Amino acid sequence: MINRIIHFSVYNRGLVLFLTALLVVAGIYSFQHLPIDAVPDITNNQVQINTVVEGLAPEEIERSVTFPVESAMRGAAGVEQVRSITRFGLSQVTVVFKDSVDIYRARQLVAERLQNVASDLPSGSKPQLGPISTGLGEIYQYVVDFEEKKTGEERMKQLMEIKALQDWFIKPRLLSVEGVAEVNTTGGFEKQYHIQPDPKKMAAYGIHFDEIKESLDKVNRNVGGGYVEQTAEQFLVQGFGLLKTPEQIERIPIKQLESFKALTIGDVATVRLGKQLRTGAATYDGQEVVLGTAMMLLGENSRTVSSRVHQKIQEIQKTLPKGVALKTVYNRSDLVNETLGTVEHNLLMGALLVTIILLIFLGNLRAAVITAITIPLSLLATFLMMKPLGFSGNLMSLGALDFGIIVDGTVIVLDNCVRFIQMRYKSLGRSLTAEELKQAVYEATVEIRTAAGFGELIVIMVFLPVFALTGVEGKMFTPMAATFILAVFAALCFSFTTAPALASLFLSGKTEDKEPRMMAFFRKAYVPFFEYAFKFKKTTIGVAVASVVVGVGLFMTRGAEFLPQLSEGSFAFHMIRPVNTSLTQSIEFQKKADSIVKS
């Protein structure tokens, strides 16, 4: 089988090279559409259930919300783990499914279970599913603030306006970007109108809090009344009742007194502009701001989506009110580009070093160039197979490729081809014809096919145990093993197809039998050690075994770093405070930390 493939490649080299060119085009196209990220996404297959509960303490939320929801999720098909976090005002339950379960099926199962437990939850509690994203889904962050910052009560009003601008103008437009699953808002104040009843006045008029609430519910809405026809026109009848100012709220009637005077909310309560009790805030450069975070949809290309978000942000900036500034503070595409730069540097340096070493040891420029061509061809073939298999391009999958191992089969084939041509040239005493050159390349490749093939297959077998890893380790190292195996297998195929075709086309038929100087030097240095090893076999074996034992001992006691290095120039730190620290004090701590880091 392999002999036929080699024979076809040598004697039909035009077709083989044409198919190789098609693979190059397909590989370039696949790379342009390959999901790119900095590191592999190790987030498990999970669905989050978030429930906002106002007014209750964490202990009560745990008892009345978190526990019922968590219990309802247990036993669902494909569920591996259910965990929860309860905070003041929030209950979050995370349901972890098996990796084989489709995320949309998992969300459907969770939604069905929630329907059975929703009626048992406290009034006003509405569980909602989290966005279809992962732990690496935060791809873009920006801050919104006034250019001219005020102080005191005016600053609070500014943060109210900024939050309203973020929630009702910026966020909806970003949600329209393809690949964005959610846009979260942190910081600012939600604008509210607070009604503060006076208990003494309420007692004097004999009314209760429920009556005030009922009055608000009846008035604060718009209603429709059908339509009225007049001559040839039709007019819609509408009643506008949505409240917009504190004065309108004060004029809402509660009941009619015996004196036929209407008792209004303003008679028994004070209405003023207020803010919601919040559980979080955001700071930037020592100032409170509103922070927006764009979450990427699961499975999307982070570099592409973050670039789309950045483009949309630039469009939004042109339409913002005067005096409002929108600034990008984190763009995932910057990190990905730095990662690609690291990967590109590793690949180019590796390819260059391999080519130089091949030229030195083979002593034949054409053979070295043909061998070096295998490197980009193997990469393009790997790109072609990565996306269908569900692997993304990142520091692990691409940065760990070893070109010295990848071109090993091609090196053996080309070295033997050069040797065969030298032998034929020496025996014939003349240059080889085109047919003789093809025959020499064919025979040389067939002779060495077992050594070249088994050498690459052994490398592939070494990486197969990595696929047995599960959990975080499996998601971290499986892409590396898969891409390495794909690259080695592609290089093996090229060593029996494209490499012989190029060798029969470009190698000279009058190559002289001359050993490279570097090889001659290493041969002279190696022969004495070789003779010594055969003369003292037991000593040689003992030294080898001792070296293995010492190496294993050092590895087990000291450990080793297996991950490629990434230095994109960014730093992230997390401040951990006591759980009972107030939000106001936390903000002051954060402002001080910002000033220290900035200085």
Side-chain angles (χ1 to χ4, degrees):
M1 179 65 179
I2 297 180
N3 291 354
R4 292 180 180 178
I5 294 175
I6 297 173
H7 185 275
F8 180 85
S9 301
V10 173
Y11 288 92
N12 298 274
R13 57 197 183 190
L15 178 59
V16 172
L17 295 179
F18 174 74
L19 294 176
T20 303
L22 290 181
L23 184 142
V24 170
V25 175
I28 294 174
Y29 176 82
S30 299
F31 176 73
Q32 292 175 345
H33 295 80
L34 181 69
I36 302 294
D37 212 329
V39 293
D41 193 343
I42 60 176
T43 307
N44 47 28
N45 194 17
Q46 61 178 236
V47 178
Q48 286 188 341
I49 307 169
N50 300 317
T51 307
V52 177
V53 186
E54 297 182 355
L56 296 182
E59 294 82 0
E60 186 63 21
I61 297 176
E62 176 73 24
R63 185 190 66 81
S64 60
V65 178
T66 304
F67 181 75
V69 173
E70 190 174 355
S71 300
M73 296 301 116
R74 299 188 185 277
V79 172
E80 286 187 336
Q81 181 186 17
V82 180
R83 60 177 185 265
S84 64
I85 297 176
T86 304
R87 296 286 186 268
F88 174 71
L90 176 66
S91 168
Q92 184 179 80
V93 178
T94 303
V95 186
V96 180
F97 287 83
K98 296 179 181 178
D99 291 336
S100 58
V101 180
D102 181 73
I103 184 62
Y104 295 98
R105 171 174 169 77
R107 292 174 68 88
Q108 179 64 29
L109 292 173
V110 171
E112 292 176 358
R113 292 291 182 111
L114 278 179
Q115 292 179 356
N116 300 328
V117 74
S119 59
D120 300 331
L121 300 180
S123 177
S125 301
K126 295 181 180 180
Q128 295 182 343
L129 301 184
I132 308 176
S133 189
T134 66
L136 294 180
E138 297 183 1
I139 60 169
Y140 201 95
Q141 291 183 342
Y142 58 91
V143 295
V144 189
D145 199 0
F146 280 95
E147 295 178 354
E148 182 182 353
K149 301 175 180 60
K150 299 182 180 180
T151 58
E153 192 72 16
E154 294 297 323
R155 180 57 180 167
M156 185 189 73
K157 292 182 180 180
Q158 281 189 332
L159 292 175
M160 283 185 183
E161 295 179 16
I162 290 298
K163 182 173 175 58
L165 184 68
Q166 158 67 11
D167 291 339
W168 299 100
F169 181 75
I170 300 176
K171 180 178 178 178
R173 298 182 68 177
L174 290 180
L175 286 174
S176 65
V177 177
E178 182 182 358
V180 174
E182 179 63 65
V183 177
N184 294 329
T185 304
T186 307
F189 295 98
E190 183 175 343
K191 187 177 181 180
Q192 294 182 338
Y193 294 112
H194 288 180
I195 301 175
Q196 299 174 335
D198 187 337
K200 293 182 180 180
K201 293 182 180 180
M202 290 176 60
Y205 289 108
I207 63 172
H208 303 280
F209 290 103
D210 291 340
E211 295 180 78
I212 298 178
K213 182 178 181 300
E214 290 175 2
S215 301
L216 285 169
D217 293 338
K218 290 178 181 179
V219 175
N220 189 30
R221 59 178 178 174
N222 293 338
V223 295
Y227 64 90
V228 175
E229 291 186 1
Q230 184 176 355
T231 63
E233 295 181 294
Q234 176 177 294
F235 299 94
L236 299 179
V237 179
Q238 300 183 66
F240 296 98
L242 289 180
L243 303 171
K244 299 180 179 179
T245 63
E247 291 75 17
Q248 292 177 346
I249 299 176
E250 290 177 348
R251 292 195 295 266
I252 295 176
I254 301 176
K255 70 177 184 179
Q256 188 174 3
L257 300 176
E258 295 179 357
S259 59
F260 299 101
K261 177 184 177 183
L263 180 69
T264 63
I265 290 180
D267 294 330
V268 296
T270 302
V271 183
R272 64 181 182 85
L273 183 67
K275 59 185 179 182
Q276 182 189 30
L277 288 176
R278 57 178 183 168
T279 56
T283 64
Y284 181 74
D285 282 346
Q287 294 287 337
E288 267 201 79
V289 294
V290 174
L291 174 69
T293 303
M295 306 290 292
M296 180 184 69
L297 187 66
L298 176 66
E300 290 287 338
N301 189 326
S302 63
R303 183 176 62 166
T304 303
V305 177
S306 58
S307 298
R308 293 174 187 159
V309 174
H310 186 68
Q311 183 178 0
K312 179 63 72 172
I313 287 290
Q314 291 178 329
E315 296 177 5
I316 295 174
Q317 285 177 330
K318 300 176 182 178
T319 59
L320 289 176
K322 185 177 180 180
V324 176
L326 193 157
K327 183 176 181 180
T328 301
V329 295
Y330 173 72
N331 189 342
R332 175 68 66 81
S333 61
D334 296 336
L335 172 62
V336 174
N337 290 335
E338 290 292 337
T339 304
L340 288 179
T342 301
V343 173
E344 181 182 0
H345 177 267
N346 294 343
L347 298 182
L348 291 178
M349 289 301 297
L352 181 60
L353 289 175
V354 168
T355 304
I356 294 174
I357 296 301
L358 288 175
L359 179 60
I360 294 174
F361 282 91
L362 289 179
N364 189 302
L365 178 61
R366 297 182 182 182
V369 172
I370 294 173
T371 305
I373 291 176
T374 306
I375 295 175
L377 292 179
S378 302
L379 280 178
L380 293 174
T382 304
F383 297 148
L384 188 61
M385 294 181 283
M386 284 178 66
K387 187 173 183 179
L389 294 177
F391 297 110
S392 64
N394 52 65
L395 188 65
M396 287 298 297
S397 60
L398 300 179
L401 293 178
D402 188 340
F403 294 120
I405 298 177
I406 290 176
V407 301
D408 184 59
T410 308
V411 170
I412 297 175
V413 169
L414 267 297
D415 181 67
N416 204 46
C417 288
V418 172
R419 187 179 67 86
F420 253 68
I421 294 173
Q422 290 175 348
M423 292 173 57
R424 294 292 173 86
Y425 177 79
K426 186 175 181 181
S427 62
L428 295 175
R430 59 175 174 80
S431 300
L432 276 65
T433 62
E435 288 299 320
E436 292 173 341
L437 182 61
K438 291 181 181 179
Q439 185 64 25
V441 171
Y442 168 71
E443 293 179 2
T445 307
V446 169
E447 182 185 66
I448 208 66
R449 71 187 187 284
T450 303
F454 273 100
E456 301 284 27
L457 291 176
I458 289 173
V459 174
I460 293 176
M461 294 295 293
V462 169
F463 279 88
L464 290 181
V466 177
F467 291 97
L469 297 175
T470 59
V472 175
E473 296 83 1
K475 293 184 178 182
M476 177 66 74
F477 296 108
T478 297
M480 178 201 67
T483 53
F484 201 97
I485 289 175
L486 291 175
V488 172
F489 181 76
L492 177 61
C493 296
F494 287 128
S495 66
F496 293 144
T497 55
T498 306
L502 291 174
S504 64
L505 183 63
F506 292 108
L507 287 184
S508 174
K510 56 179 181 179
T511 304
E512 298 181 359
D513 185 10
K514 183 178 180 182
E515 186 177 30
R517 295 181 180 180
M518 186 63 67
M519 290 298 297
F521 172 78
F522 279 108
R523 182 185 297 276
K524 293 180 181 179
Y526 174 70
V527 168
F529 290 100
F530 187 76
E531 294 176 348
Y532 179 86
F534 270 86
K535 185 176 181 181
F536 303 97
K537 299 178 182 178
K538 295 182 179 181
T539 303
T540 304
I541 295 175
V543 172
V545 173
S547 301
V548 172
V549 172
V550 172
V552 172
L554 291 175
F555 176 78
M556 293 179 63
T557 57
R558 300 178 59 184
E561 292 185 2
F562 192 64
L563 299 177
Q565 293 184 357
L566 172 64
S567 178
E568 81 285 0
S570 299
F571 296 92
F573 66 93
H574 185 200
M575 296 179 61
I576 301 176
R577 308 178 183 89
V579 294
N580 59 345
T581 305
S582 66
L583 178 60
T584 304
Q585 187 63 38
S586 298
I587 294 174
E588 294 302 320
F589 284 155
Q590 193 64 42
K591 289 180 178 179
K592 187 175 182 180
D594 289 349
S595 62
I596 293 174
V597 173
K598 187 177 179 180
S599 60

